[in-house]
């Protein structure tokens, strides 16, 4: 018996045991397994751009118009998807991710301040997708994501055909990719080329992270953060209005719309243009809402009462079209609740609100002209709006 045991020990010493190294992490594999992804081969986490390029990451041509399907959205910016449909799609995607030789994981956060951010783990089937998320998500320590009770999980399956939505009953689509969200499961799915649609991607991430951010005593809103000298301005405006103005772009803090209003300041939801920017800016000096009215009823700029501010925020009037809360994408929080909290903070912190009409009759004001109106709001010397009827409705 002793001889047999000794021989067994010697044989055991000769058996190689796989050690952790590049692409092999038992802790990561266990974490992925909890999300129904079982790595077949290597799984890389938080690679730098230069390393992603070694795995054939390339700059993809940006797309737009990717449809978003979401469970329980408060906005018309997303189509409905049922729980069985989402779960069926999730099963297809996790099976795909579990069958490929390499997986790329990117950790990050929605929210520049650790006080209010929502942790995110992205599981990709292509290094280019990981590179995209690396460029927009805020940095956060990996251990913060690993130890988070219920982080937002994003599954990127560029190798899954966009026609996958037909197999789960979402109907035929013409786009090269699509996004599906389930707020209850804190999960996002990107299929096809959806990861190259930055605008749709940020809107979907904002909605999916909103409940977690709200639970941390912050208010996620679809606003642009402008920095004018020492003053911080919150701007509510359609994306095309801001993107088309080079002058306006120079004052933007973040690359896209999306901020979290906190009791002691404002955080961007995604990476700032300046890598040295603080993770929390001071409270805004003013709140600006752009409106588009060519009838001449709405003046070029007017100071709003609390009731008027709530009305115009919820209406989001754009020449006959109404975009509630200036959010064209999905929303996981009730716009009415957002409006109430936003203007409660506005009142408590004595932050004035202004309505700016981007039209002067049939003429569309230039970026320079709009910026001058925004700067005028900081003087706080404008007369209050002369009692428009909508304020009574509010």
């Amino acid at each position: 018996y002793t001889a047999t045991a000794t021989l067994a020990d010697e044989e055991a010493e000769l058996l190689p045991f796989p050690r952790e190294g590049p692409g092999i992490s038992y802790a990561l594999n266990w974490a992925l397994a909890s999300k129904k992804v079982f790595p077949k081969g290597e799984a890389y986490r938080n690679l730098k751009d230069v390393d992603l390029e070694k795995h054939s990451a390339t700059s993809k041509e940006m797309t737009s118009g990717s449809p978003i399907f979401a469970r329980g959205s408060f906005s018309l910016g997303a189509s409905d998807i049922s729980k069985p449909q989402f779960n069926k799609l999730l099963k297809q995607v996790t099976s795909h991710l579990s069958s490929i030789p390499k997986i790329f994981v990117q950790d990050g956060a929605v929210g520049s301040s650790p006080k209010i951010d929502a942790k995110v783990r992205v599981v990709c089937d292509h290094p280019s997708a990981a590179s995209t998320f690396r460029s927009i998500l805020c940095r956060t320590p990996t251990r913060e994501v690993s130890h988070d009770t219920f982080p937002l999980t994003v599954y990127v399956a560029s190798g899954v055909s966009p026609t996958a939505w037909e197999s789960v009953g979402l109907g035929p689509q013409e786009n090269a990719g699509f996004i599906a969200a389930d707020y209850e499961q804190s999960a996002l799915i990107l299929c096809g080329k959806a990861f190259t649609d930055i605008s749709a991607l940020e809107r979907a991430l904002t909605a999916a992270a909103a409940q977690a951010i709200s639970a941390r005593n912050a208010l996620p809103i679809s606003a642009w953060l402008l920095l004018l000298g020492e003053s911080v301005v919150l701007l509510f405006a359609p994306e095309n209005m801001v993107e088309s103005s080079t002058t306006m772009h120079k004052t933007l803090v973040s690359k896209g719309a999306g901020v979290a209003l906190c009791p002691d300041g404002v955080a961007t939801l995604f990476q700032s243009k300046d890598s040295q920017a603080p993770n929390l800016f001071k409270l805004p000096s003013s709140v600006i809402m752009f409106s588009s009215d060519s009838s001449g009823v709405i003046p070029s700029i007017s100071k709003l009462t609390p009731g008027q501010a709530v009305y115009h925020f919820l209406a989001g009037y754009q020449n006959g079209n109404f975009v509630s809360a200036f959010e064209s994408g999905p929303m996981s929080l009730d716009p009415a609740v957002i409006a109430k909290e936003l203007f409660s903070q506005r009142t408590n912190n004595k932050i004035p609100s202004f309505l700016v009409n981007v039209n002067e009759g049939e003429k569309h004001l230039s970026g320079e002209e709009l910026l001058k109106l925004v700067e005028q709001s900081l003087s706080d010397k404008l007369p209050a709006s002369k009692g428009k009827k909508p304020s009574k409705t509010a």
Side-chain angles (χ1 to χ4, degrees), residues 315-376:
Y317 181 72
Q318 306 295 328
N319 261 356
N321 298 315
F322 295 90
V323 184
S324 184
F326 292 85
E327 178 54 80
S328 59
M331 298 183 71
S332 60
L333 298 176
D334 189 336
V337 174
I338 295 176
K340 181 179 178 180
E341 178 60 27
L342 172 62
F343 292 100
S344 172
Q345 290 201 34
R346 165 203 178 278
T347 302
N348 295 338
N349 295 297
K350 299 180 180 179
I351 304 171
S353 298
F354 299 86
L355 185 69
V356 170
N357 186 4
V358 300
N359 290 333
E360 194 174 80
E362 295 297 326
K363 174 193 172 186
H364 189 83
L365 297 180
S366 67
E368 291 82 357
E369 292 171 318
L370 290 172
L371 192 58
K372 285 181 180 179
L373 291 175
V374 172
E375 290 172 339
Q376 285 181 34

Side-chain angles (χ1 to χ4, degrees), residues 62-67 179 193-202:
M62 294 295 101
T63 60
S64 61
S66 298
I179 300 174
K193 295 183 179 179
F195 74 89
T196 62
D197 188 342
I198 303 299
S199 178
L201 176 55
E202 290 185 344

Side-chain angles (χ1 to χ4, degrees), residues 87-106:
N87 288 340
K88 185 176 180 180
L89 178 62
L90 181 60
K91 186 175 181 180
Q92 288 186 32
V93 168
T94 53
S95 295
H96 164 71
L97 291 169
S98 299
S99 67
I100 56 180
K102 292 182 181 180
I103 291 175
F104 300 89
V105 176
Q106 186 64 45

